[in-house]
Coordinates of all heavy atoms in Angstrom, one line a residue:
M19 N -201.5 -199.3 -36.6 CA -200.3 -199.7 -37.3 C -199.0 -199.4 -36.7 O -198.9 -198.3 -36.0 CB -200.3 -199.0 -38.7 CG -201.2 -199.7 -39.7 SD -201.1 -198.9 -41.3 CE -202.4 -197.5 -41.1
P20 N -198.0 -200.3 -36.7 CA -196.9 -200.0 -36.0 C -195.9 -199.0 -36.9 O -196.0 -198.8 -38.0 CB -196.1 -201.4 -36.1 CG -196.7 -202.1 -37.3 CD -198.1 -201.6 -37.5
I21 N -195.1 -198.3 -36.0 CA -194.2 -197.3 -36.7 C -192.8 -197.9 -36.4 O -192.5 -198.3 -35.5 CB -194.2 -195.9 -36.0 CG1 -195.6 -195.3 -36.1 CG2 -193.1 -195.0 -36.5 CD1 -195.7 -194.1 -35.3
Y22 N -192.2 -198.1 -37.7 CA -190.9 -198.7 -37.6 C -189.8 -197.6 -37.9 O -190.0 -196.6 -38.6 CB -190.8 -199.8 -38.7 CG -191.6 -200.9 -38.3 CD1 -192.8 -201.3 -39.1 CD2 -191.3 -201.9 -37.3 CE1 -193.5 -202.4 -38.7 CE2 -192.0 -203.0 -36.9 CZ -193.1 -203.3 -37.8 OH -193.8 -204.3 -37.4
E23 N -188.6 -197.9 -37.4 CA -187.5 -197.0 -37.6 C -186.6 -197.8 -38.7 O -186.4 -199.0 -38.4 CB -186.8 -196.8 -36.4 CG -185.6 -195.9 -36.6 CD -184.9 -195.5 -35.4 OE1 -185.6 -195.0 -34.4 OE2 -183.7 -195.9 -35.1
Y24 N -186.2 -197.1 -39.7 CA -185.5 -197.7 -40.7 C -184.1 -197.0 -40.7 O -184.0 -195.9 -40.6 CB -186.0 -197.7 -42.1 CG -187.2 -198.5 -42.3 CD1 -188.4 -198.1 -41.9 CD2 -187.0 -199.9 -42.7 CE1 -189.6 -198.9 -42.1 CE2 -188.2 -200.6 -42.8 CZ -189.5 -200.2 -42.5 OH -190.5 -201.0 -42.6
I25 N -183.0 -197.7 -41.1 CA -181.7 -197.2 -41.5 C -181.4 -197.7 -42.9 O -181.3 -198.9 -43.1 CB -180.6 -197.6 -40.4 CG1 -181.0 -197.0 -39.1 CG2 -179.2 -197.1 -41.0 CD1 -180.0 -197.4 -38.0
C26 N -181.2 -196.8 -43.8 CA -180.8 -197.0 -45.1 C -179.3 -197.7 -45.2 O -178.5 -197.1 -44.6 CB -180.9 -195.9 -46.1 SG -180.3 -196.3 -47.7
Q27 N -179.2 -198.9 -45.8 CA -177.9 -199.5 -45.7 C -177.1 -198.8 -47.1 O -175.8 -198.9 -47.1 CB -178.0 -201.0 -46.0 CG -178.8 -201.6 -44.9 CD -178.0 -201.6 -43.6 OE1 -177.0 -202.1 -43.4 NE2 -178.6 -200.7 -42.8
G28 N -177.8 -198.1 -47.8 CA -177.1 -197.5 -49.0 C -176.4 -196.1 -48.5 O -175.2 -196.0 -48.9
C29 N -177.1 -195.3 -47.9 CA -176.6 -194.0 -47.6 C -176.6 -193.7 -46.1 O -176.1 -192.5 -45.6 CB -177.4 -193.0 -48.4 SG -179.1 -192.7 -47.7
G30 N -177.2 -194.5 -45.2 CA -177.1 -194.4 -43.9 C -178.1 -193.4 -43.2 O -178.3 -193.1 -42.2
Y31 N -179.2 -193.1 -44.2 CA -180.3 -192.2 -43.8 C -181.1 -192.9 -42.9 O -181.5 -194.1 -43.0 CB -180.9 -191.8 -45.1 CG -182.1 -190.7 -44.7 CD1 -181.7 -189.4 -44.4 CD2 -183.4 -191.1 -44.8 CE1 -182.8 -188.5 -44.2 CE2 -184.4 -190.1 -44.6 CZ -184.0 -188.9 -44.2 OH -185.1 -188.0 -44.1
Q32 N -181.6 -192.2 -41.8 CA -182.4 -192.9 -40.8 C -183.8 -192.2 -40.7 O -183.9 -191.0 -40.8 CB -181.7 -192.7 -39.5 CG -182.4 -193.5 -38.3 CD -181.6 -193.4 -37.1 OE1 -180.4 -193.3 -37.1 NE2 -182.3 -193.2 -35.8
F33 N -184.8 -193.0 -40.8 CA -186.2 -192.4 -40.7 C -187.3 -193.3 -40.1 O -187.0 -194.5 -40.0 CB -186.6 -192.0 -42.2 CG -186.6 -193.2 -43.1 CD1 -187.9 -193.8 -43.5 CD2 -185.5 -193.7 -43.7 CE1 -187.9 -194.9 -44.4 CE2 -185.6 -194.8 -44.6 CZ -186.7 -195.4 -44.9
E34 N -188.3 -192.8 -39.8 CA -189.4 -193.5 -39.2 C -190.6 -193.5 -40.2 O -190.8 -192.6 -40.9 CB -189.9 -193.0 -37.9 CG -188.9 -193.2 -36.8 CD -189.3 -192.4 -35.6 OE1 -190.3 -191.8 -35.5 OE2 -188.5 -192.4 -34.6
K35 N -191.2 -194.7 -40.2 CA -192.4 -194.8 -41.2 C -193.4 -195.7 -40.7 O -193.1 -196.7 -40.1 CB -191.8 -195.3 -42.5 CG -192.8 -195.2 -43.7 CD -192.1 -195.6 -44.9 CE -193.0 -195.8 -46.2 NZ -193.8 -194.5 -46.4
I36 N -194.6 -195.3 -40.8 CA -195.7 -196.2 -40.5 C -195.9 -197.2 -41.7 O -196.1 -196.9 -42.8 CB -197.2 -195.4 -40.4 CG1 -196.9 -194.4 -39.1 CG2 -198.3 -196.4 -40.1 CD1 -198.1 -193.5 -39.1
V37 N -195.9 -198.5 -41.2 CA -195.7 -199.5 -42.4 C -197.0 -200.5 -42.3 O -197.2 -201.0 -41.2 CB -194.5 -200.3 -42.3 CG1 -194.4 -201.4 -43.4 CG2 -193.3 -199.4 -42.3
K38 N -197.7 -200.6 -43.5 CA -198.7 -201.6 -43.5 C -198.0 -203.0 -43.5 O -196.9 -203.2 -43.8 CB -199.5 -201.3 -44.7 CG -200.3 -200.1 -44.6 CD -201.0 -199.9 -45.9 CE -201.4 -198.5 -46.0 NZ -201.7 -198.0 -47.4
L39 N -198.9 -204.0 -43.2 CA -198.4 -205.4 -43.2 C -197.6 -205.8 -44.5 O -198.2 -205.5 -45.6 CB -199.6 -206.4 -43.1 CG -199.3 -207.8 -42.6 CD1 -198.7 -207.5 -41.2 CD2 -200.5 -208.6 -42.4
D40 N -196.4 -206.3 -44.4 CA -195.6 -206.7 -45.5 C -195.2 -205.6 -46.6 O -194.7 -205.9 -47.6 CB -196.4 -207.8 -46.3 CG -196.4 -209.1 -45.5 OD1 -195.6 -209.2 -44.6 OD2 -197.4 -209.8 -45.7
E41 N -195.4 -204.3 -46.2 CA -194.9 -203.3 -47.1 C -193.6 -203.0 -46.8 O -192.9 -203.0 -45.8 CB -195.7 -201.9 -46.7 CG -195.6 -200.9 -47.8 CD -196.2 -199.7 -47.3 OE1 -196.3 -199.4 -46.1 OE2 -196.7 -198.9 -48.2
S42 N -192.8 -202.9 -48.0 CA -191.3 -202.6 -47.9 C -191.2 -201.3 -48.5 O -191.1 -201.0 -49.7 CB -190.6 -203.6 -48.7 OG -191.2 -205.0 -48.5
P43 N -191.0 -200.3 -47.8 CA -190.6 -198.9 -48.2 C -189.2 -198.8 -48.8 O -188.3 -199.5 -48.5 CB -190.7 -198.0 -47.0 CG -190.3 -198.9 -45.8 CD -190.8 -200.3 -46.1
N44 N -188.9 -197.7 -49.5 CA -187.6 -197.4 -50.0 C -187.1 -196.1 -49.3 O -187.9 -195.4 -48.8 CB -187.7 -197.2 -51.5 CG -187.8 -198.5 -52.3 OD1 -187.9 -199.5 -51.8 ND2 -187.8 -198.3 -53.6
C45 N -185.7 -196.0 -49.3 CA -185.2 -194.8 -48.7 C -185.6 -193.6 -49.4 O -185.6 -193.5 -50.6 CB -183.6 -195.0 -48.8 SG -182.8 -193.6 -48.2
P46 N -186.1 -192.7 -48.7 CA -186.6 -191.3 -49.2 C -185.4 -190.5 -49.8 O -185.6 -189.6 -50.6 CB -187.3 -190.6 -48.2 CG -186.7 -191.3 -46.9 CD -186.3 -192.6 -47.2
E47 N -184.2 -190.9 -49.3 CA -183.0 -190.1 -49.9 C -182.5 -190.6 -51.1 O -182.2 -189.9 -52.0 CB -182.0 -190.1 -48.7 CG -182.3 -189.2 -47.6 CD -182.4 -187.7 -47.9 OE1 -181.7 -187.3 -48.8 OE2 -183.2 -187.0 -47.4
C48 N -182.2 -192.0 -51.1 CA -181.5 -192.6 -52.3 C -182.3 -193.6 -53.0 O -182.0 -194.3 -54.0 CB -180.2 -193.1 -51.8 SG -180.3 -194.6 -50.8
D49 N -183.6 -193.9 -52.6 CA -184.5 -194.8 -53.2 C -184.0 -196.3 -53.1 O -184.5 -197.1 -53.8 CB -184.9 -194.5 -54.6 CG -186.1 -195.0 -54.9 OD1 -187.1 -195.0 -54.2 OD2 -186.2 -195.3 -56.2
S50 N -183.1 -196.4 -52.2 CA -182.6 -197.9 -52.1 C -183.7 -198.7 -51.2 O -184.3 -198.2 -50.3 CB -181.3 -197.8 -51.3 OG -181.0 -199.1 -50.8
G51 N -183.7 -199.9 -51.6 CA -184.7 -200.9 -50.9 C -183.9 -201.7 -49.8 O -184.5 -202.4 -49.0
E52 N -182.6 -201.4 -49.6 CA -181.7 -202.0 -48.7 C -182.0 -201.3 -47.2 O -181.1 -200.6 -46.8 CB -180.3 -202.0 -49.1 CG -180.1 -202.7 -50.4 CD -180.1 -204.1 -50.1 OE1 -179.3 -204.8 -49.3 OE2 -180.8 -205.0 -50.9
L53 N -183.0 -201.5 -46.7 CA -183.2 -200.9 -45.4 C -183.2 -201.9 -44.1 O -183.7 -203.0 -44.3 CB -184.7 -200.3 -45.5 CG -184.8 -199.3 -46.6 CD1 -186.3 -198.7 -46.6 CD2 -183.9 -198.1 -46.5
E54 N -182.7 -201.5 -43.1 CA -182.6 -202.2 -41.9 C -183.8 -201.8 -41.0 O -183.9 -200.6 -40.6 CB -181.2 -201.9 -41.2 CG -180.9 -202.9 -40.1 CD -179.5 -202.7 -39.6 OE1 -178.6 -203.0 -40.2 OE2 -179.5 -202.0 -38.5
K55 N -184.7 -202.7 -40.8 CA -185.9 -202.3 -40.0 C -185.7 -202.5 -38.5 O -185.1 -203.5 -38.1 CB -187.0 -203.1 -40.4 CG -188.3 -202.8 -39.8 CD -189.5 -203.3 -40.6 CE -189.8 -204.7 -40.2 NZ -191.0 -205.3 -40.7
Q56 N -186.1 -201.5 -37.8 CA -185.9 -201.6 -36.3 C -187.2 -201.1 -35.7 O -188.0 -200.2 -36.3 CB -184.8 -200.6 -35.9 CG -183.5 -201.0 -36.6 CD -182.3 -200.1 -36.1 OE1 -182.5 -199.0 -36.1 NE2 -181.4 -200.7 -35.7
F57 N -187.4 -201.5 -34.4 CA -188.6 -200.9 -33.7 C -188.2 -199.7 -33.2 O -187.1 -199.4 -33.0 CB -189.0 -201.9 -32.7 CG -189.8 -203.1 -33.2 CD1 -189.1 -204.3 -33.2 CD2 -191.0 -203.1 -33.5 CE1 -189.6 -205.4 -33.8 CE2 -191.6 -204.3 -34.0 CZ -191.0 -205.5 -34.2
T58 N -189.2 -198.7 -32.9 CA -188.8 -197.4 -32.5 C -188.3 -197.5 -30.9 O -187.8 -196.5 -30.4 CB -190.1 -196.5 -32.5 OG1 -191.2 -197.2 -31.9 CG2 -190.3 -196.1 -34.0
V59 N -188.8 -198.6 -30.3 CA -188.3 -198.6 -28.9 C -186.8 -198.9 -28.9 O -186.3 -199.8 -29.4 CB -189.1 -199.9 -28.2 CG1 -188.7 -200.0 -26.8 CG2 -190.6 -199.7 -28.3
A60 N -186.2 -198.1 -28.1 CA -184.7 -198.2 -28.1 C -184.3 -199.3 -27.2 O -184.8 -199.5 -26.0 CB -184.1 -197.0 -27.5
T61 N -183.4 -200.2 -27.7 CA -182.8 -201.2 -26.9 C -181.3 -201.2 -27.0 O -180.9 -200.5 -27.8 CB -183.4 -202.7 -27.4 OG1 -183.0 -202.9 -28.7 CG2 -185.0 -202.7 -27.3
V62 N -180.7 -202.0 -26.2 CA -179.2 -202.1 -26.4 C -178.8 -202.5 -27.8 O -178.0 -202.0 -28.4 CB -178.6 -203.0 -25.2 CG1 -177.2 -203.2 -25.5 CG2 -179.0 -202.4 -24.0
S63 N -179.4 -203.5 -28.3 CA -179.2 -204.1 -29.6 C -179.4 -203.1 -30.6 O -178.7 -203.1 -31.7 CB -179.8 -205.3 -29.8 OG -181.3 -205.2 -29.9
T64 N -180.5 -202.4 -30.5 CA -180.8 -201.3 -31.5 C -179.7 -200.3 -31.6 O -179.2 -199.9 -32.7 CB -182.1 -200.6 -31.1 OG1 -183.2 -201.5 -31.1 CG2 -182.4 -199.5 -32.2
S65 N -179.2 -199.8 -30.5 CA -178.2 -198.8 -30.6 C -176.9 -199.2 -31.0 O -176.2 -198.5 -31.7 CB -178.1 -198.0 -29.2 OG -177.7 -199.1 -28.2
R66 N -176.7 -200.5 -30.7 CA -175.5 -201.2 -31.2 C -175.6 -201.2 -32.8 O -174.6 -201.0 -33.4 CB -175.5 -202.6 -30.6 CG -174.5 -202.8 -29.6 CD -173.8 -204.1 -29.9 NE -173.4 -204.9 -28.7 CZ -173.9 -205.9 -28.2 NH1 -175.0 -206.4 -28.7 NH2 -173.4 -206.5 -27.1
T67 N -176.7 -201.7 -33.2 CA -176.9 -201.8 -34.7 C -176.8 -200.5 -35.4 O -176.2 -200.3 -36.4 CB -178.2 -202.3 -35.1 OG1 -178.4 -203.5 -34.2 CG2 -178.4 -202.6 -36.5
R68 N -177.3 -199.5 -34.7 CA -177.3 -198.1 -35.2 C -175.7 -197.6 -35.3 O -175.4 -197.1 -36.3 CB -178.0 -197.1 -34.3 CG -178.2 -195.7 -34.8 CD -179.0 -195.0 -33.9 NE -180.4 -195.4 -33.8 CZ -181.2 -195.2 -32.8 NH1 -180.8 -194.4 -31.9 NH2 -182.4 -195.6 -32.8
D69 N -175.0 -197.9 -34.2 CA -173.6 -197.6 -34.3 C -172.9 -198.3 -35.5 O -172.1 -197.6 -36.3 CB -172.9 -198.0 -33.1 CG -173.3 -197.0 -31.9 OD1 -173.9 -195.8 -32.3 OD2 -173.0 -197.3 -30.8
K70 N -173.2 -199.5 -35.7 CA -172.7 -200.3 -36.8 C -173.0 -199.6 -38.2 O -172.2 -199.5 -39.0 CB -173.1 -201.7 -36.8 CG -172.3 -202.7 -37.6 CD -173.0 -204.1 -37.2 CE -173.1 -204.8 -38.5 NZ -173.9 -205.9 -38.5
S71 N -174.3 -199.3 -38.3 CA -174.7 -198.7 -39.5 C -174.2 -197.4 -39.8 O -173.7 -197.0 -40.8 CB -176.3 -198.5 -39.5 OG -176.9 -199.8 -39.5
F72 N -174.0 -196.7 -38.7 CA -173.3 -195.4 -38.8 C -171.9 -195.5 -39.3 O -171.5 -194.7 -40.2 CB -173.5 -194.6 -37.5 CG -172.9 -193.3 -37.4 CD1 -173.5 -192.2 -38.1 CD2 -171.6 -193.0 -36.9 CE1 -172.9 -191.0 -38.2 CE2 -171.0 -191.8 -36.9 CZ -171.7 -190.7 -37.5
N73 N -171.1 -196.5 -38.7 CA -169.9 -196.7 -39.1 C -169.7 -197.0 -40.5 O -168.9 -196.6 -41.3 CB -169.2 -197.6 -38.2 CG -168.9 -197.1 -36.9 OD1 -168.8 -196.0 -36.7 ND2 -168.8 -198.0 -35.9
K74 N -170.6 -197.9 -41.0 CA -170.8 -198.3 -42.3 C -171.0 -197.2 -43.4 O -170.3 -197.1 -44.3 CB -171.8 -199.5 -42.5 CG -171.8 -200.1 -43.7 CD -172.8 -201.2 -43.8 CE -173.0 -201.7 -45.3 NZ -174.2 -202.6 -45.4
A75 N -172.0 -196.5 -42.9 CA -172.2 -195.3 -43.8 C -171.0 -194.3 -43.8 O -170.8 -193.7 -44.9 CB -173.5 -194.5 -43.1
R76 N -170.3 -194.1 -42.7 CA -169.2 -193.3 -42.7 C -168.1 -193.8 -43.6 O -167.4 -193.1 -44.3 CB -168.7 -193.1 -41.3 CG -168.6 -191.6 -40.9 CD -168.1 -191.4 -39.6 NE -167.5 -192.4 -38.9 CZ -167.0 -192.2 -37.6 NH1 -167.1 -191.1 -37.1 NH2 -166.3 -193.0 -37.1
A77 N -168.0 -195.2 -43.6 CA -166.9 -195.8 -44.4 C -167.2 -195.6 -45.8 O -166.3 -195.6 -46.7 CB -166.8 -197.2 -44.0
Q78 N -168.4 -195.5 -46.2 CA -168.8 -195.4 -47.6 C -168.9 -194.0 -48.0 O -169.0 -193.7 -49.2 CB -170.3 -196.0 -47.8 CG -170.4 -197.6 -47.7 CD -171.7 -198.0 -47.7 OE1 -172.6 -197.3 -47.5 NE2 -172.0 -199.3 -48.0
A79 N -168.8 -193.1 -47.1 CA -168.8 -191.7 -47.4 C -167.9 -191.2 -48.6 O -168.1 -190.4 -49.3 CB -168.7 -190.8 -46.2
G80 N -166.7 -191.8 -48.4 CA -165.7 -191.5 -49.4 C -166.1 -191.8 -50.9 O -165.9 -191.1 -51.8
N81 N -166.8 -193.0 -51.0 CA -167.2 -193.4 -52.3 C -168.4 -192.5 -52.7 O -168.7 -192.6 -53.9 CB -167.5 -194.9 -52.3 CG -166.4 -195.7 -52.0 OD1 -165.3 -195.4 -52.3 ND2 -166.5 -197.0 -51.3
M82 N -169.2 -192.1 -51.9 CA -170.5 -191.5 -52.2 C -170.5 -190.0 -51.8 O -171.5 -189.5 -51.3 CB -171.5 -192.3 -51.4 CG -171.6 -193.7 -51.7 SD -173.0 -194.6 -50.9 CE -174.4 -193.6 -51.5
K83 N -169.4 -189.3 -51.9 CA -169.4 -187.9 -51.4 C -170.5 -187.1 -52.0 O -171.1 -186.4 -51.2 CB -168.0 -187.3 -51.6 CG -167.9 -186.1 -50.9 CD -166.4 -185.6 -50.7 CE -166.3 -184.6 -49.6 NZ -167.3 -183.6 -49.5
K84 N -170.7 -187.1 -53.2 CA -171.7 -186.3 -53.9 C -173.1 -186.6 -53.2 O -173.8 -185.7 -52.8 CB -171.7 -186.6 -55.3 CG -171.3 -185.3 -56.2 CD -171.7 -185.7 -57.6 CE -171.2 -184.6 -58.4 NZ -171.0 -185.1 -59.8
E85 N -173.5 -188.0 -53.2 CA -174.7 -188.3 -52.6 C -174.8 -188.0 -51.1 O -175.8 -187.5 -50.7 CB -175.0 -189.8 -52.8 CG -175.2 -190.2 -54.2 CD -173.8 -190.3 -55.0 OE1 -172.8 -189.9 -54.6 OE2 -173.9 -191.0 -56.0
K86 N -173.7 -188.0 -50.5 CA -173.8 -187.9 -49.0 C -174.0 -186.4 -48.8 O -174.7 -185.9 -47.9 CB -172.3 -188.3 -48.5 CG -172.2 -188.6 -47.1 CD -173.1 -189.8 -46.6 CE -173.0 -189.8 -45.1 NZ -174.1 -190.6 -44.6
D87 N -173.2 -185.5 -49.6 CA -173.4 -184.1 -49.4 C -174.9 -183.6 -49.7 O -175.5 -182.9 -49.0 CB -172.5 -183.3 -50.3 CG -171.1 -183.4 -49.8 OD1 -170.9 -183.8 -48.8 OD2 -170.2 -183.1 -50.7
H88 N -175.5 -184.3 -50.7 CA -176.8 -184.1 -51.0 C -177.7 -184.5 -49.9 O -178.6 -183.7 -49.5 CB -177.2 -184.7 -52.3 CG -178.7 -184.5 -52.8 ND1 -179.1 -183.4 -53.2 CD2 -179.7 -185.4 -52.6 CE1 -180.5 -183.5 -53.4 NE2 -180.8 -184.6 -53.1
A89 N -177.5 -185.7 -49.3 CA -178.3 -186.1 -48.3 C -178.2 -185.2 -47.0 O -179.2 -185.0 -46.4 CB -177.9 -187.6 -48.0
Q90 N -177.0 -184.9 -46.8 CA -176.8 -183.9 -45.6 C -177.6 -182.6 -45.8 O -178.2 -182.1 -44.9 CB -175.4 -183.7 -45.5 CG -174.9 -182.8 -44.3 CD -175.2 -183.4 -43.0 OE1 -175.4 -184.7 -42.9 NE2 -175.5 -182.7 -42.0
M91 N -177.5 -182.1 -47.1 CA -178.2 -180.9 -47.4 C -179.8 -181.0 -47.2 O -180.4 -180.2 -46.5 CB -178.0 -180.6 -48.8 CG -177.3 -179.0 -49.1 SD -176.8 -179.0 -50.7 CE -178.3 -179.2 -51.6
E92 N -180.2 -182.2 -47.7 CA -181.7 -182.5 -47.6 C -182.0 -182.6 -46.2 O -183.1 -182.1 -45.6 CB -182.0 -183.8 -48.2 CG -182.0 -183.7 -49.7 CD -183.2 -182.9 -50.2 OE1 -184.3 -183.4 -49.9 OE2 -183.1 -181.9 -50.8
Y93 N -181.2 -183.2 -45.3 CA -181.3 -183.4 -43.9 C -181.5 -182.1 -43.1 O -182.4 -181.8 -42.4 CB -180.3 -184.3 -43.3 CG -180.4 -184.5 -41.8 CD1 -181.4 -185.3 -41.2 CD2 -179.5 -183.8 -41.0 CE1 -181.4 -185.4 -39.8 CE2 -179.7 -183.9 -39.6 CZ -180.5 -184.7 -39.0 OH -180.7 -184.8 -37.7
E94 N -180.5 -181.3 -43.5 CA -180.5 -179.9 -42.7 C -181.8 -179.1 -43.2 O -182.2 -178.4 -42.3 CB -179.2 -179.3 -43.1 CG -178.0 -179.8 -42.4 CD -176.6 -179.2 -42.8 OE1 -176.8 -178.3 -43.7 OE2 -175.7 -179.7 -42.3
R95 N -182.1 -179.3 -44.4 CA -183.3 -178.6 -44.9 C -184.5 -179.0 -44.0 O -185.3 -178.1 -43.6 CB -183.4 -178.7 -46.4 CG -184.5 -177.9 -47.0 CD -184.4 -177.9 -48.5 NE -184.8 -179.3 -49.0 CZ -186.0 -179.8 -49.0 NH1 -187.1 -179.0 -48.7 NH2 -186.3 -181.0 -49.4
K96 N -184.7 -180.3 -43.9 CA -185.8 -180.9 -43.2 C -185.8 -180.4 -41.8 O -186.8 -180.0 -41.2 CB -185.8 -182.3 -43.3 CG -186.5 -182.9 -44.6 CD -186.3 -184.4 -44.8 CE -186.7 -184.9 -46.2 NZ -186.0 -186.0 -46.5
V97 N -184.6 -180.5 -41.2 CA -184.6 -180.1 -39.8 C -184.9 -178.6 -39.5 O -185.7 -178.2 -38.7 CB -183.1 -180.4 -39.2 CG1 -182.9 -179.6 -37.9 CG2 -182.8 -181.8 -39.2
H98 N -184.5 -177.8 -40.5 CA -184.8 -176.5 -40.5 C -186.3 -176.2 -40.5 O -187.0 -175.4 -39.9 CB -184.0 -175.7 -41.7 CG -184.3 -174.1 -41.7 ND1 -183.9 -173.4 -40.7 CD2 -185.0 -173.5 -42.7 CE1 -184.3 -172.2 -41.0 NE2 -185.0 -172.2 -42.1
E99 N -186.9 -176.9 -41.5 CA -188.4 -176.8 -41.8 C -189.1 -177.3 -40.5 O -190.1 -176.7 -40.2 CB -188.8 -177.7 -43.0 CG -188.5 -177.1 -44.2 CD -188.8 -177.8 -45.5 OE1 -189.1 -179.0 -45.2 OE2 -188.4 -177.5 -46.4
E100 N -188.6 -178.3 -39.9 CA -189.4 -178.8 -38.7 C -189.3 -177.8 -37.6 O -190.3 -177.9 -36.7 CB -188.7 -180.2 -38.3 CG -189.2 -181.3 -39.0 CD -188.4 -182.6 -38.8 OE1 -187.7 -182.5 -37.7 OE2 -188.5 -183.5 -39.5
H101 N -188.4 -176.9 -37.5 CA -188.3 -176.0 -36.5 C -188.8 -174.7 -36.8 O -188.8 -173.9 -36.0 CB -186.8 -175.8 -36.0 CG -186.2 -177.0 -35.3 ND1 -185.8 -178.1 -35.9 CD2 -186.1 -177.3 -34.0 CE1 -185.4 -178.9 -35.1 NE2 -185.5 -178.5 -33.9
L102 N -189.5 -174.6 -37.9 CA -190.1 -173.3 -38.2 C -191.5 -173.1 -37.4 O -192.1 -174.1 -37.3 CB -190.4 -173.2 -39.7 CG -189.2 -172.8 -40.6 CD1 -189.6 -172.9 -42.0 CD2 -188.6 -171.4 -40.2
Ligands
LIG18 ZN1 -180.5 -194.3 -48.7

């Protein structure tokens, strides 16, 4: 099964997921279905899209500060756990 990389269009959260055929996952952070699907293989267009999404997420940060802080907290917690 292919592993896809997703970027949430709602909160900018980025994650990888093994996806069955025609399955549409939701964002684990904000449960949004607005996900941008990408292959894990890095290409020029992928990194471009990522920058665009990052800027978009940053632009939305003002409107979603609470959610953003929560997402950041969750992210840091996960990173911490991964390194234990
Ligand atoms: Zn999200």
Side-chain angles (χ1 to χ4, degrees):
M19 271 181 282
I21 299 175
Y22 292 107
E23 185 178 298
Y24 290 90
I25 295 177
C26 175
Q27 300 299 288
C29 71
Y31 186 73
Q32 190 178 324
F33 60 100
E34 288 172 5
K35 192 171 168 64
I36 297 170
V37 181
K38 291 173 199 158
L39 201 64
D40 291 334
E41 187 186 36
S42 326
N44 283 1
C45 173
E47 289 295 327
C48 69
D49 206 35
S50 167
E52 298 284 311
L53 303 175
E54 190 174 287
K55 186 163 83 174
Q56 305 181 308
F57 290 100
T58 51
V59 179
T61 65
V62 173
S63 62
T64 299
S65 62
R66 257 221 209 108
T67 310
R68 188 176 297 158
D69 287 344
K70 198 176 127 198
S71 297
F72 180 70
N73 288 337
K74 189 181 169 189
R76 230 173 32 172
Q78 289 175 342
N81 297 332
M82 306 178 56
K83 190 161 194 325
K84 241 186 190 167
E85 287 84 344
K86 206 56 187 166
D87 287 346
H88 179 70
Q90 181 67 25
M91 238 170 58
E92 284 288 305
Y93 173 75
E94 282 170 5
R95 190 171 60 80
K96 275 174 194 156
V97 168
H98 181 67
E99 281 172 1
E100 275 168 17
H101 286 84
L102 281 176

